[in-house]
Amino acid sequence: MTGLPDALAGLRSARRAPADFDAFWRDTLDSAAHPLDPVFTEAPSALAAATVYDTSFAGSRGHRIAAWLIVPRPAPAAGPDRSAPVPCVVQFLGYGEGRGAPLDWLLWPAVGRAVLVVDTRGQGGANLRPGDTPDPVGVTHPQVPGFVTRGVLDPAGYYYRDAYVDAVRAVDTALAHPAVDPGRIVVSGCSQGGLLALAAAALHGRVAAALVESPFLCDVTDAARLPDRQPYRELLRFCQFHPQHVGRVLDTLAYFDGVALAERAACPALFSLAMRDQVCSPASVATTYHHYAGPKRIGVWPFAGHAEPNGYQRRAEVDFVAGVLGDR
Amino acid sequence: MTGLPDALAGLRSARRAPADFDAFWRDTLDSAAHPLDPVFTEAPSALAAATVYDTSFAGSRGHRIAAWLIVPRPAPAAGPDRSAPVPCVVQFLGYGEGRGAPLDWLLWPAVGRAVLVVDTRGQGGANLRPGDTPDPVGVTHPQVPGFVTRGVLDPAGYYYRDAYVDAVRAVDTALAHPAVDPGRIVVSGCSQGGLLALAAAALHGRVAAALVESPFLCDVTDAARLPDRQPYRELLRFCQFHPQHVGRVLDTLAYFDGVALAERAACPALFSLAMRDQVCSPASVATTYHHYAGPKRIGVWPFAGHAEPNGYQRRAEVDFVAGVLGDR
Amino acid sequence: MTGLPDALAGLRSARRAPADFDAFWRDTLDSAAHPLDPVFTEAPSALAAATVYDTSFAGSRGHRIAAWLIVPRPAPAAGPDRSAPVPCVVQFLGYGEGRGAPLDWLLWPAVGRAVLVVDTRGQGGANLRPGDTPDPVGVTHPQVPGFVTRGVLDPAGYYYRDAYVDAVRAVDTALAHPAVDPGRIVVSGCSQGGLLALAAAALHGRVAAALVESPFLCDVTDAARLPDRQPYRELLRFCQFHPQHVGRVLDTLAYFDGVALAERAACPALFSLAMRDQVCSPASVATTYHHYAGPKRIGVWPFAGHAEPNGYQRRAEVDFVAGVLGDR
Amino acid sequence: MTGLPDALAGLRSARRAPADFDAFWRDTLDSAAHPLDPVFTEAPSALAAATVYDTSFAGSRGHRIAAWLIVPRPAPAAGPDRSAPVPCVVQFLGYGEGRGAPLDWLLWPAVGRAVLVVDTRGQGGANLRPGDTPDPVGVTHPQVPGFVTRGVLDPAGYYYRDAYVDAVRAVDTALAHPAVDPGRIVVSGCSQGGLLALAAAALHGRVAAALVESPFLCDVTDAARLPDRQPYRELLRFCQFHPQHVGRVLDTLAYFDGVALAERAACPALFSLAMRDQVCSPASVATTYHHYAGPKRIGVWPFAGHAEPNGYQRRAEVDFVAGVLGDR
Amino acid sequence: MTGLPDALAGLRSARRAPADFDAFWRDTLDSAAHPLDPVFTEAPSALAAATVYDTSFAGSRGHRIAAWLIVPRPAPAAGPDRSAPVPCVVQFLGYGEGRGAPLDWLLWPAVGRAVLVVDTRGQGGANLRPGDTPDPVGVTHPQVPGFVTRGVLDPAGYYYRDAYVDAVRAVDTALAHPAVDPGRIVVSGCSQGGLLALAAAALHGRVAAALVESPFLCDVTDAARLPDRQPYRELLRFCQFHPQHVGRVLDTLAYFDGVALAERAACPALFSLAMRDQVCSPASVATTYHHYAGPKRIGVWPFAGHAEPNGYQRRAEVDFVAGVLGDR
Amino acid sequence: MTGLPDALAGLRSARRAPADFDAFWRDTLDSAAHPLDPVFTEAPSALAAATVYDTSFAGSRGHRIAAWLIVPRPAPAAGPDRSAPVPCVVQFLGYGEGRGAPLDWLLWPAVGRAVLVVDTRGQGGANLRPGDTPDPVGVTHPQVPGFVTRGVLDPAGYYYRDAYVDAVRAVDTALAHPAVDPGRIVVSGCSQGGLLALAAAALHGRVAAALVESPFLCDVTDAARLPDRQPYRELLRFCQFHPQHVGRVLDTLAYFDGVALAERAACPALFSLAMRDQVCSPASVATTYHHYAGPKRIGVWPFAGHAEPNGYQRRAEVDFVAGVLGDR
């Protein structure tokens, strides 16, 4: 983990969040005050030292969001208080991924933390792992296939408004399980997952730490400069075919930008930045890091591309979480 | 326009349509008996000799489907009966295309036919031209981004069930306009548009002719053999991530296969087949052609790929329509 | 249609046209004073409201150049003077395209203008549509296949000298037809066609307006910086294999550069610029626009690549022409 | 998990193993009878319920081979005999991978089995994860970079002779640890790892089960038909530049072919086959499966490519192991 | 050099040459009976033991064709008769190559043969080396850029008619130089050069041996099956855009097909065939070889692609020439 | 050959060689003082005017390095002193190439110089031509396949330490042959070969001239900026998977950088630089040229990519050598 190169050290965003950014999200969350209705169904699994709960909760608009909650059983040597609650990592997913199967999520239970792996509504099946959560929201304007332009003409109808509310309520779901220590919730994700982790950290008051890898949708101030790669390509195609809407698109995105979220987060965060990232540019990640309002560190990987497997960052995250939670 | 090569001449599908195929569609159309409510709003346009109507109608489930109706004004030399109704080509679109603008659809008005260009719900913006028709149907299971796997686990909820109903009702919409001659409706399209044209020809009793270019979703009996190209790639990814559902997917597709539709069409049809088509294979198009139950001809283009511009086929279509309609 | 981004706003060419640029072209056109000998043969067509003339004229060196002239018949409501001449758009073609068939050129007749679609000598068949005009000029030095390096060692023998003369005489041909209003000739084209439109606007005194999309061969002052894409690749390969000739090549091109042409045009022009153009760079187009000497506007498309279909620019062109001609 | 398609069902290899195949391997293993000298150093780790041993052993020629041994601690509910030995999966790696870090290998410990992750000598660093095992063997003839052609001119000097001996001795190493149940050793791997698992199953008498995914180097009887993809590309390039050696190359490979190994294995095996595998062809995998001499099953994945992540096969393997070991 | 694989061993062409094939070429050569007018100008060169002549001759239609003639000086140990004429290899070039510089052609002089490197008219500059020979023939119909479709609508006007005449007269040019032994002329070439070598061997009576590598334009009986690669791509594009001309194209090509030429050659020939050739298919080369009427051998390279450098074939050619000429 | 563009004219390296650079190499060469033991075995060849010696010598650590020595026989007109020694070009090879066959190396003998073509240990077979020299050095840490990261953790064990010693001793080998004029040794190479030529020029006192084309491994001060292309890709992958070693890697490379070598060379040198070089950047080559301490010239090729064939540079090299040696 090296420091930020000089060229990235001074970057700051050229834009301020909309004046009503906080009001927008306050109103959004207020209007999503329906019961959480979490369901934790113990699922048979081959896991020897953890309990798996097939989980769901009422996300935005009351739609059910699927998740896996995996709770490690206390280690044999844990001593008398074997029913003590454990920390929980709420894991958000990259674009197109789904929650897959419990065997896909062994890292955090292996190091003694529960993990809540949360489907991103409608996704799963195009990338890596299937999901189990439909997106029952029909759209009100034609869009580029995918999720980035669903409802993008209006903040109130944008796909990510639902997704952020789902993310916040996923934290609520972790808090709702008796095996989880409510003071030790960590949010985590890469790319789209990093963005959702930022959203949860910014919009939920009880997050203890955030792990933010190569976050998507950060510092999007000029759509014309975005890379012609997925998922940004969806935005580019939409703007190309609807040039009259570019302004509205940017106005909508301003309520969802990772930079504005970062400015509103307070918990300690560990970022990662891949210098050869051709999707989420190093500049956009560094800018977001600089705006992040809580205590922070960053892993810079000069030879890595977007979302490439990185065992070193993984271990740094395990250590960072232990350090923040103070339990190792 | 050459004949079919020997290797394609004998192809027939290995599968029969489901026993309740006809019942399925009869029930589907019966249940879609809500009022058509067509709206034809004359739109300002630069066209000198045609009138443009910004059109919409109540498609499947009552959702509004956008279209352009362009009606040529009678030619100066047309003689006394200048208010006689004109033939109308109902134009269906390729995957991802939208209706765009009236200036994009000048062929048929130029040769003296009205054209009704029909949005495909939810599409437009990813390919060539924007559309104006959302797909308000949320989905009940996660899907690969796009439309081919929306609701594919169940014929009753499949995206193309709505799309075929929309196509049938687009023909109704053409019939509903006083400037259109109800005895001279032609359906037309390429790739997905060719499939929708087949659907309209098979499911609507009043189609006079069909122009079917390189139709999509024909003779899909073994998903494992489909090409890893769009839009088939959506099916492949879905099957890869949901292997337990492959059988259900094929069962659903059987109600929508172009071969079964072709067997139920009666009007004269002109097909086209591109021998270097890497999306809709020459074998699948030839098979569909062989099963087509009406009078038929086919243009075979040995050097063309999928949906490549082909002025020769275009002119053959103009002539074919004139021949079938008997008005030239 | 947005404004030019700041980075492009101040661009000016670093080079002046050769001192004898005007003399070169005056002599060239003087020496091409042979009879135009236009032939307009009415061709059978399916068009309901237009007359098609299979057209040819004596271009440079007297070689016959093929074209289509399509003249709309007056609209039914046009009133008594139904034989009034109409404006005519002279349409030049992109690299490798040919005039194809009349059905390919319906835009301008549909909006009440005649169109004269002019083959580019020798081209047609490699891109989009076949042509009907050979290039009977043999070459005097080996060249990279294609047209950009044909005769490039000497302005007097360069391929585009013939092509520009052909373009000027295409305007003469439009002027020669009785149905065309000689005061309302518009030239139009994209890429190579945009360059030819600039040439016609600069070198012919009777052009009323120009539509110039992403013009080719503009501000070529340093061959080493050209993109390795067609058609510039032909120049790069030639320079690579004939490094001793790079200076001569640039000297020749100076007589054909779009910037020098732009400085000599006087009619109103509408340009278009695609910000993701990887062939004709945004900088080269913006520079040419700045040097354009007549009244001008520009459509800037931040999300478009080279010569991608663009219905918005198309409609802007229809409006621009109506505005300049003052007939709508 | 579907059955083998008809086209693959009847495949058998056209070639027999060399007459001295068994003698070659008996001599090879006899000559590798030096002490195993296993070293298990407990390594600090973040794992809550498992002990990690940084492991090494004397592989072929006495060279040290690095591995991780991860032993789960008995589950809390495991009852009185908490020191009972556990089954152990010996995990072999794909081409270019290394053992990485213990956090990369959580599957088998999570389901209650120890795992011994074995470096492949010299590999690690080009793909996915770094390794810690050099290959101290210099080569006696020039080779294509990589490992497939190292010493390929002679079975006695071939890279995979060392690698197979290392694999056999990795099983010995698992047997040497007191926490491992010597009657319940499973070998496992994908691609090159699948080949090494076959080698260990065939050449070591105490393997209880084998998990063989898309094995490399199977049924290589005609080098000219191998795909031009890595790692086979190394063979193709070598044969291209050394055509005089093609016969010797094939003679060498005959001692290492997965088909010959499969014929000599006796333990139950679960294979997997990806129908879109463009590296290890479905035909080669099916052939090897048919020759496999022990009880066997196969997972066929019609939509998967080579070595794509496959949670379904992963879960089938967990179940298969439990079934064979009879402990669930 | 291995034998032909079984799959290629039985291939024969399905088509016979046109009945007037021999008459066509007799007339063609009769009409090209103008004086050869060879010019050999000694050129300064750095070569220590060879004399370079910048050469030209009157090719088809009297156009000057450039060549290099490089004549080795007799070796020091050559003995008394140091002015004895030497054998000469007439080297034809691959598509797009030119004669370059004398230093590019050192093989044959180094082994004691003269070499006459002959430009292919109009080519050079697009591939490997510049040429010095223009093609002064203008075309009578539009063509795809390049040479394969120049004049292809008529055998009498086809580019390769001129090129074959040039090739025949290149042999005459070699014969015309006093340092060349007229009884020991060898023709040689790869790809297009292999085709020209076949043409010279078939159409000129005084060729002693032919070296034919991966010849182009052999057994072209179904244009639709040609690979979409250069130079065949030119044919495919032409046929795509001019489908009405496909028959005429094939009729023309029949007068130029390598199979028909092979049937008319009598001198010993050494072929080469690359099994991974994606341009000139192994089947087309094997077919041509089978039809070759003279004594013949073939080098088959299972791992090579089209025109890849192949030192082994090069050495086989040196030996083959020595064997045929009987001078080593 | 044009001058350096302004953008490259001022470039200097930001880094100094290690303080013990000279000591490192002095010690290295001192420790490689074992007997050279050159073996020159006359090999049968088809060459008419040159003698071929299959050559080998004891390179670094005494390992045998294969080479071809080709000595031209004096030209017939050379006059009385026909046994005078000739200049010799020591030719180093590009990455992955081997010495191939004598017929591959005809340039220098053709212009009257001997050539010693030296294998690069372990290479040959992956690119262009096979080699005959193994690399018997096993490695002490895992590496990315190839040679660039072999032993890169320590200057004393780095692959190129052996390779540079081999290069120096190749010059000794040339000096050891009686037919070679010891005062007229030239070193030459492209890419890796250019680097080895720099090494030989810098580390051996008796080199008369150097030909350095697009040298590899020059001015490597920030690994993160290297292009993701071979052979640099090996370094990038290694650094990605071993981030803890990046510093050591750069420390090692500092002893091998072409800039430091250039500063220590004294003989006249001709460089070449390809402006479109995407492997060895123009900036790195220009920087090295600027640091080169001897008399120097450079050929700049604006349209060429990395290591593309360049007959112009070849001829310039022949002339440069003649000029420096003063013998023409």
Side-chain angles (χ1 to χ4, degrees), chain A residues 196-215:
Chain A
L196 293 170
L198 277 174
L203 300 176
H204 197 293
R206 297 178 68 185
V207 173
L211 306 172
V212 181
E213 303 178 5
S214 307

Side-chain angles (χ1 to χ4, degrees), chain A residues 46-327:
Chain A
L47 296 182
T51 307
V52 173
Y53 300 94
D54 191 344
T55 300
S56 72
F57 61 89
S60 184
R61 312 191 194 200
H63 301 139
R64 301 302 299 179
I65 306 298
W68 294 114
L69 177 66
I70 311 177
V71 182
R73 282 195 284 277
D81 184 9
R82 295 177 53 177
S83 61
V86 291
C88 180
V89 176
V90 182
Q91 179 72 44
F92 299 107
L93 303 178
Y95 197 66
E97 298 177 34
R99 66 170 185 162
L103 289 184
D104 298 327
W105 304 104
L106 301 176
L107 172 68
W108 294 110
V111 298
R113 285 76 169 82
V115 67
L116 182 75
V117 183
V118 190
D119 260 358
T120 315
R121 56 171 57 210
Q123 299 186 24
N127 193 5
L128 289 172
R129 275 176 239 97
D132 293 297
T133 305
D135 182 12
V137 182
V139 289
T140 55
H141 62 86
Q143 46 129 167
V144 176
F147 302 91
V148 182
T149 65
R150 283 178 90 87
V152 74
L153 297 181
D154 176 16
Y158 190 35
Y159 170 82
Y160 279 108
R161 182 168 175 263
D162 289 318
Y164 286 12
V165 170
D166 295 345
V168 168
R169 293 173 76 88
V171 176
D172 289 334
T173 301
L175 288 169
H177 195 277
V180 170
D181 180 345
R184 292 189 291 168
I185 303 285
V186 178
V187 293
S188 172
C190 178
S191 195
Q192 175 188 266
L195 177 69
L196 293 170
L198 277 174
L203 300 176
H204 197 293
R206 297 178 68 185
V207 173
L211 306 172
V212 181
E213 303 178 5
S214 307
F216 177 59
L217 216 56
C218 285
D219 199 29
V220 178
T221 54
D222 182 356
R225 292 195 182 165
L226 293 173
D228 192 4
R229 293 179 179 253
Q230 272 291 65
Y232 282 120
R233 181 174 287 152
E234 296 177 18
L235 273 176
L236 296 184
R237 287 296 90 72
F238 188 85
C239 290
Q240 178 177 8
F241 286 104
H242 303 277
Q244 74 278 26
H245 289 329
V246 175
R248 281 175 72 183
V249 166
L250 288 177
D251 287 348
T252 292
L253 295 181
Y255 290 89
F256 299 89
D257 197 287
V259 167
L261 296 169
E263 291 174 334
R264 282 149 181 88
C267 64
L270 174 62
F271 279 68
S272 80
L273 181 160
M275 289 295 288
R276 292 184 181 249
D277 194 326
Q278 297 185 294
V279 179
C280 297
S281 72
S284 72
V285 176
T287 298
T288 307
Y289 175 69
H290 290 139
H291 284 264
Y292 191 82
K296 59 196 172 189
R297 291 182 55 203
I298 188 162
V300 177
W301 305 101
F303 303 96
H306 186 66
E308 290 185 341
N310 186 335
Y312 299 97
Q313 180 72 17
R314 199 69 55 246
R315 277 165 264 164
E317 290 174 347
V318 169
D319 291 346
F320 181 83
V321 167
V324 170
L325 301 185
D327 61 354

Side-chain angles (χ1 to χ4, degrees), chain E residues 259-276:
Chain E
V259 168
L261 296 169
E263 291 173 333
R264 282 150 181 87
C267 64
L270 173 63
F271 279 68
S272 79
L273 182 159
M275 289 296 286
R276 292 183 182 248

Side-chain angles (χ1 to χ4, degrees), chain D residues 65-82:
Chain D
I65 307 296
W68 294 115
L69 177 66
I70 311 177
V71 183
R73 281 194 285 279
D81 185 9
R82 295 178 52 179

Side-chain angles (χ1 to χ4, degrees), chain B residues 310-322:
Chain B
N310 184 335
Y312 298 98
Q313 180 72 15
R314 200 69 56 246
R315 277 164 264 163
E317 290 174 347
V318 169
D319 292 346
F320 181 83
V321 167

